[in-house]
């Protein structure tokens, strides 16, 4: 029998670009592995929504380091698709921690 898990499209994209992830923190987004400050481009549909976890296709540096082609992800997907790359403790959601009002919905 085939043991490959069936992934929905966002999870499949996460499996391919698991190293392109960022988390909403105080002061904006930071890449998960290197804590690099990054920003959702103001033209993005997700700009106003500010999801807690995002995956991006590329970074473009203009006035700031902007993430392009951004989707919202669930941090648990990262452990599912890339347990060799992520540790559970770096993916702790921080849901219990205070977030700025209206941020991280």
């Amino acid at each position: 029998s085939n043991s490959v898990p069936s992934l929905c499209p966002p999870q499949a994209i996460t499996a391919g670009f698991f190293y392109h992830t960022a988390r909403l923190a105080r002061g904006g987004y930071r890449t998960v592995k290197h804590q690099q400050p990054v920003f959702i481009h103001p033209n993005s549909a997700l700009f106003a929504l500010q999801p807690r976890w995002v995956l991006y296709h590329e970074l473009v540096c203009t006035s700031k380091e902007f993430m392009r082609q951004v989707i919202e992800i669930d941090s648990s997907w990262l452990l599912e698709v890339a347990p060799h790359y992520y540790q559970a403790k770096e993916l702790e959601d921080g849901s219990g921690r205070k977030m700025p009002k209206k941020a991280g919905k």
Side-chain angles (χ1 to χ4, degrees):
S1 77
N2 192 347
S3 64
V4 176
S6 161
L7 300 174
C8 70
Q11 283 175 297
I13 294 168
T14 303
F17 289 92
F18 62 84
Y19 43 88
H20 284 177
T21 53
R23 167 197 348 221
L24 186 61
R26 282 216 162 92
Y29 286 91
R30 293 198 172 266
T31 59
V32 176
K33 274 292 183 182
H34 304 291
Q35 300 301 306
Q36 175 183 355
V38 291
F39 301 86
I40 294 178
H41 195 278
N43 291 348
S44 170
L46 292 182
F47 179 76
L49 298 176
Q50 293 209 315
R52 201 176 280 266
W53 291 88
V54 295
L55 179 143
Y56 57 89
H57 178 257
E58 63 182 348
L59 291 176
V60 176
C61 189
T62 54
S63 56
K64 297 177 179 172
E65 197 84 41
F66 286 110
M67 298 179 282
R68 293 200 18 184
Q69 292 89 37
V70 179
I71 63 166
E72 181 175 7
I73 61 166
D74 186 315
S75 62
S76 67
W77 299 347
L78 296 172
L79 270 185
E80 286 173 33
V81 302
H84 59 288
Y85 192 74
Y86 290 106
Q87 296 171 5
K89 90 173 177 224
E90 65 189 335
L91 299 176
E92 284 169 1
D93 198 305
S95 297
R97 284 194 231 126
K98 293 250 185 207
M99 288 293 288
K101 279 197 170 144
K102 292 185 152 185
K105 299 239 173 195

